[in-house]
Amino acid sequence: MLIKKKFVVTFAIATILTGCATSRGVLDLKVPDLPNPASSQAVKIMDVTDKRVFEIEPKKPSIPSLQNDEINDPKITRRAVARKRNGFGAALGDILLPEGQTVEQLTRAALENALRESGYRVVAAGETGYDSATPVSAEIQQFWSWMTPGFWELKLRYNAKIQLIGDWPLKGDSRIVEGDALYAGVIASSAEWREVINNGIANLINNLKAMLTRAAL
């Protein structure tokens, strides 16, 4: 009886997810634009580069993948953030950011927020203090969300791994900052995907803040 109930729940989850999960989804994500401190040390982010490696049929759902053969098309990969699966773990449609929005932009905004909340003034080309600002860069090694099915509930996970390059004002020697988040439930709609990714980005920001020294005023 217990096995039968587990099968029914698993089938129900699979049914819930399969409805529109076979098609490509689009998820609009925003990182709040925080203001700069009035006056403090200036930092300029030179480059944020997407170095993720995509596979068509990965052995693990945590490896970035796409529904279609587009893993070498940066117009698609730079927008890809997740892959949907049914209740049995079979890969379905992928999830992209809207056109004009990229993972690099989201990551840059997260890094800027961590710096600003740590007292640093993040400046762009043409702004006062840009030429003398400390230059830093970053590489995106991981920025991905995926589903793990189960008998009673499914789990959505998010992980980001960012390599810090340049003269970041760090407390220690670590040059990798990560962000993680987990959602557990029985449905994976756009709201749940958005929640887990936003929570993961917030965790990334908090983890970087913990690594940064406070700016000197």
Side-chain angles (χ1 to χ4, degrees), residues 43-47 134-139 163-170 172-175 212:
V43 176
K44 53 187 176 185
I45 300 179
M46 306 301 292
D47 296 294
T134 301
V136 296
S137 297
E139 291 183 351
Q163 173 78 49
L164 304 176
I165 301 170
D167 297 326
W168 285 83
L170 301 172
D173 296 330
S174 177
R175 288 276 172 166
L212 294 171

Side-chain angles (χ1 to χ4, degrees), residues 6 8 35 49 92 108 116 121 134 138 140 142 145 162 171 182 190 217:
K6 287 183 177 180
V8 170
T49 309
L92 299 172
R108 177 184 287 268
R116 287 168 175 160
R121 184 165 54 92
T134 301
I140 304 168
Q142 174 77 315
S145 188
I162 311 300
K171 297 176 183 177
L182 172 66
S190 295
L217 300 179

